[in-house]
Amino acid sequence: MSDDASLIALSNIYIVLVEITHPGNIGAAARAMKTMGLSQLVLVHPKIFPCADATVRAAGADDILAQARVCDTLEEGIADCRLVFGTSARPRTIAWPRLLPNACAKMAVSLGEKTALLFGREHAGLTNEELELCHYVVQIPTNPTFSSLNVASAVQILAYELFNQVMQTEERSVSEHCPASAESMTLFYQHLEQTLIEIEFLDPTKPRHLMRRLHRLFNRAQPDDLELNILRGILTAIQVKR
Amino acid sequence: MSDDASLIALSNIYIVLVEITHPGNIGAAARAMKTMGLSQLVLVHPKIFPCADATVRAAGADDILAQARVCDTLEEGIADCRLVFGTSARPRTIAWPRLLPNACAKMAVSLGEKTALLFGREHAGLTNEELELCHYVVQIPTNPTFSSLNVASAVQILAYELFNQVMQTEERSVSEHCPASAESMTLFYQHLEQTLIEIEFLDPTKPRHLMRRLHRLFNRAQPDDLELNILRGILTAIQVKR
């Protein structure tokens, strides 16, 4: 999946903040969204917005704030969504179908249709009436003795899971490390053993487990060609200097 | 896993904040930690601490702030750690072994030994010298056009992955391999550098990237105490024989 395609998948996802009191949290949520490629912010009845505090905490994600849709009611904010998730950190009396963030992200990204993730008030979360508009409740696992997750942090975690999901779909590998060939490693071990004999660290009549231990250590490091050249350069310098 | 066992696994993990400028971020990081059951906060040379802004943003995680260890140097903060992870959002010229947050959490929790996760300055992150103390760099995947993740948000994501990992781990597997402490590694690198200068392989007036490359190689191998003794024994033999 190209970067363009990732952005399209994520542009179908609305982050909906319901009756947020502190504008700083709106800005922090916008920043959290943008770091993870999300762009669609919906604010339901925010106490104060726009606001300088929001812009400061957005720290460069001003475009998300400028494009944010402000609505009077939640129904209006999610009218065109096919799938709606509510987030919750506390257990509810009536059990909604519950998902972990990872499963929510998988569902939202694979659907490829307009999807809303709802985040509630700082102190009270979402009401039961608001949860009735949701297909699922996403429960972010937290410390049972301190589940007070900041609302922008909750946005950050879900946004991170969504971005991961898109990246995994892309199957992009970040590894660039290319270990040296087995033949190069054999030549290196011969050079190492010879040098250890010359400096009298290794007694060839009583080798014990020394070379085996060194094999294990350097095999674990999986040196690449450049690193192996450096190590052999060091061995040659030792041989020349003695 | 019982709550007690989870707390023990997480109490081995230090969240180390390096030269943070805004005390609000320290408070937000403490809150992020506590929601995910982490408790060990280390502050390396914070600009302002303690501070009311930190307490406000901690929002009930004051105990984490009160117990935080404040250090002058990073070396001091991680001296007893067996495994050190640096976090980074930007690509580096020399590629350190890189892990995704999830793989980092798996490694840290399964090791069950003192482990540090380092988070750098708000605008500049960690320096290359600080990364040299790390076994791995954890790269939080972000939007390539806006990777400006808030430091407390980065803590939140890693803390979330650690908590998930503990929740997933039914039985903690105790790894047989126990990497040497950061302090022992520092002493080894000093010995290595000194020896390379003595055999004239390293010109201290033109060090280039040699030591950085060797750090990367040996950190990847994660030598244990016995292996480090062998390596230092070899270094001493080279010094004696020349």
Side-chain angles (χ1 to χ4, degrees):
Chain A
M1 185 181 276
S2 72
D3 285 351
D4 282 354
S6 312
L7 288 179
I8 290 168
L10 294 172
S11 68
N12 275 320
I13 296 169
Y14 298 173
I15 298 298
V16 183
L17 306 184
V18 181
E19 297 202 339
I20 295 299
T21 305
H22 297 294
N25 283 331
I26 297 176
R31 180 176 179 181
M33 289 170 62
K34 192 169 179 181
T35 58
M36 299 296 158
L38 291 165
S39 55
Q40 309 295 320
L41 177 61
V42 178
L43 303 172
V44 177
H45 203 236
K47 190 171 177 194
I48 311 164
F49 186 82
C51 172
D53 278 0
T55 310
V56 167
R57 294 282 298 282
D62 321 48
D63 51 336
I64 308 279
L65 295 180
Q67 295 159 23
R69 198 148 50 88
V70 181
C71 304
D72 285 330
T73 67
L74 176 56
E75 285 80 353
E76 194 186 325
I78 62 173
D80 62 343
C81 292
R82 298 266 168 176
L83 188 58
V84 180
F85 296 95
T87 55
S88 175
R90 62 188 169 101
R92 302 276 171 171
T93 334
I94 301 179
W96 262 261
R98 260 186 261 180
L99 290 177
L100 290 172
N102 167 294
C104 160
K106 205 166 279 183
M107 210 183 277
V109 169
S110 65
L111 180 69
E113 299 273 349
K114 301 256 181 265
T115 297
L117 267 71
L118 318 187
F119 297 83
R121 298 149 193 85
E122 282 93 343
H123 290 292
L126 296 167
T127 64
N128 282 342
E129 290 66 36
E130 287 158 355
L131 284 176
E132 277 167 17
L133 299 172
C134 300
H135 298 96
Y136 295 94
V137 169
V138 187
Q139 181 126 31
I140 301 176
T142 52
N143 179 354
T145 65
F146 187 81
S147 62
S148 156
L149 197 61
N150 169 266
V151 62
S153 294
V155 171
Q156 184 73 68
I157 289 171
L158 265 301
Y160 163 75
E161 287 284 10
L162 288 163
F163 191 69
N164 268 352
Q165 193 54 47
V166 168
M167 290 294 112
Q168 277 169 29
T169 313
E170 205 167 333
E171 286 180 342
R172 209 175 51 173
S173 147
V174 291
S175 166
E176 296 157 8
H177 181 71
C178 179
S181 69
E183 190 181 12
S184 305
M185 289 300 287
T186 302
L187 292 172
F188 162 68
Y189 287 124
Q190 287 168 358
H191 196 171
L192 177 62
E193 185 167 11
Q194 183 55 39
T195 309
L196 293 180
I197 292 169
E198 290 176 20
I199 63 170
E200 293 171 28
F201 187 79
L202 173 62
D203 177 354
T205 65
K206 286 182 212 152
R208 296 197 188 148
H209 295 308
L210 181 64
M211 285 312 296
R212 185 170 307 157
R213 289 190 193 282
L214 289 169
H215 269 78
R216 201 170 51 174
L217 173 67
F218 284 102
N219 280 350
R220 204 161 57 232
Q222 294 191 0
D224 61 23
D225 287 329
L226 175 63
E227 290 167 340
L228 221 46
N229 282 342
I230 293 173
L231 292 173
R232 296 199 59 182
I234 294 173
L235 295 175
T236 303
I238 296 166
Q239 292 176 313
V240 169
K241 281 292 156 191
R242 46 180 295 279
Chain B
M1 181 178 273
S2 75
D3 286 350
D4 281 356
S6 312
L7 289 178
I8 290 167
L10 293 172
S11 70
N12 275 321
I13 296 170
Y14 297 174
I15 298 297
V16 183
L17 305 184
V18 182
E19 296 201 340
I20 295 299
T21 305
H22 299 293
N25 282 331
I26 297 176
R31 180 176 179 181
M33 288 170 62
K34 193 169 178 183
T35 57
M36 299 296 157
L38 290 165
S39 55
Q40 308 295 320
L41 177 61
V42 179
L43 302 171
V44 177
H45 203 238
K47 191 169 176 195
I48 311 164
F49 186 83
C51 172
D53 278 0
T55 310
V56 167
R57 292 283 297 282
D62 322 47
D63 52 335
I64 309 278
L65 295 179
Q67 296 160 20
R69 196 150 51 88
V70 181
C71 304
D72 285 331
T73 67
L74 176 56
E75 284 81 355
E76 193 185 325
I78 62 173
D80 61 345
C81 291
R82 294 273 166 174
L83 188 58
V84 181
F85 296 96
T87 55
S88 174
R90 63 187 167 104
R92 303 275 172 173
T93 331
I94 298 181
W96 262 261
R98 264 187 261 176
L99 290 178
L100 291 173
N102 165 293
C104 159
K106 204 166 280 182
M107 210 182 275
V109 169
S110 67
L111 181 67
E113 298 273 349
K114 299 255 182 267
T115 296
L117 267 71
L118 318 187
F119 296 83
R121 300 148 191 85
E122 282 94 341
H123 291 292
L126 296 167
T127 64
N128 282 340
E129 290 66 35
E130 286 158 356
L131 285 176
E132 276 168 16
L133 300 172
C134 300
H135 298 97
Y136 294 94
V137 169
V138 187
Q139 181 127 32
I140 301 177
T142 52
N143 178 355
T145 65
F146 187 82
S147 61
S148 155
L149 198 62
N150 168 266
V151 62
S153 295
V155 171
Q156 183 72 69
I157 289 171
L158 265 301
Y160 163 75
E161 287 283 10
L162 288 163
F163 191 68
N164 269 351
Q165 191 56 44
V166 167
M167 292 294 113
Q168 281 167 28
T169 311
E170 285 295 322
E171 283 172 24
R172 204 172 55 171
S173 68
V174 177
S175 157
E176 308 168 7
H177 180 72
C178 180
S181 69
E183 192 177 12
S184 305
M185 288 301 286
T186 302
L187 292 171
F188 162 67
Y189 287 122
Q190 287 167 358
H191 195 172
L192 177 62
E193 186 167 12
Q194 182 56 38
T195 309
L196 294 179
I197 292 169
E198 289 175 19
I199 64 169
E200 292 172 28
F201 186 79
L202 172 62
D203 176 355
T205 64
K206 287 182 212 153
R208 299 203 185 141
H209 294 309
L210 181 64
M211 286 311 297
R212 189 168 301 160
R213 289 191 192 281
L214 289 169
H215 269 81
R216 192 173 64 170
L217 173 68
F218 285 103
N219 279 353
R220 203 159 61 229
Q222 293 190 18
D224 61 24
D225 287 330
L226 174 62
E227 290 167 339
L228 220 48
N229 282 342
I230 294 174
L231 292 174
R232 296 199 59 180
I234 295 174
L235 294 175
T236 302
I238 295 167
Q239 291 175 314
V240 170
K241 282 291 157 190
R242 48 183 292 281

